Amino acid sequence: MGLQRFLDDGRLPIHNNISELNLRRQAIGRKNWLFVGSEDGAAANVAFTSLLASCRMHDVEPWSYLRDLLCLLPDWPAHRLLELSPLHWTATAQLPEVQRALHDNVYRLTLLGAPAAGGWQQPAPLSATRFAERIPSLPCRG
């Protein structure tokens, strides 16, 4: 039946690599998800898994998206939350107010390093130990 469908419509790929890849993620995750600990842990896992899948679907790099999302979320107006979704992220990230908020965020500055005269320079990767050493020195928001 599958081969017949492929022969009828040449736009369809002859392989099912995408389906196999997605099934593999679920099979590996199923083993790991046995240890989420509680219903609340499972709910958080589902939320982050869905968010990361949405990032993949909309070609948004997940780690920088989550970093910037967690920087913006505390001060973001509730009626504009949908703008922070991966579907709208590319347009939202270009807004001047978002650029300014991200540029001024002390936690983001700690992760990225200080801006150079010519713009941002990607710092050397921060080891977990060096990152943990920098956390207590961050000022608290009041």
Side-chain angles (χ1 to χ4, degrees), residues 19-103:
S19 299
E20 292 290 332
L21 178 64
N22 288 324
L23 285 173
R24 183 170 187 265
R25 278 192 198 112
Q26 294 301 317
I28 290 172
R30 190 178 320 124
K31 180 178 152 191
N32 296 334
W33 298 330
L34 289 173
F35 304 102
V36 293
S38 67
E39 291 287 326
D40 291 338
N45 184 28
V46 167
F48 275 103
T49 302
S50 298
L51 191 62
L52 293 174
S54 185
C55 283
R56 253 191 317 274
M57 187 168 58
H58 297 292
D59 293 323
V60 173
E61 198 281 312
W63 295 111
S64 60
Y65 168 74
L66 287 173
R67 178 199 61 222
D68 292 348
L69 175 69
L70 293 174
C71 288
L72 291 172
L73 205 51
D75 298 320
W76 197 260
H79 68 279
R80 293 179 57 198
L81 279 178
L82 192 56
E83 294 175 27
L84 296 177
S85 71
L87 174 64
H88 301 291
W89 180 249
T90 304
T92 301
Q94 300 304 316
L95 296 173
E97 66 191 79
V98 172
Q99 291 286 322
R100 190 171 34 260
L102 290 174
H103 182 269

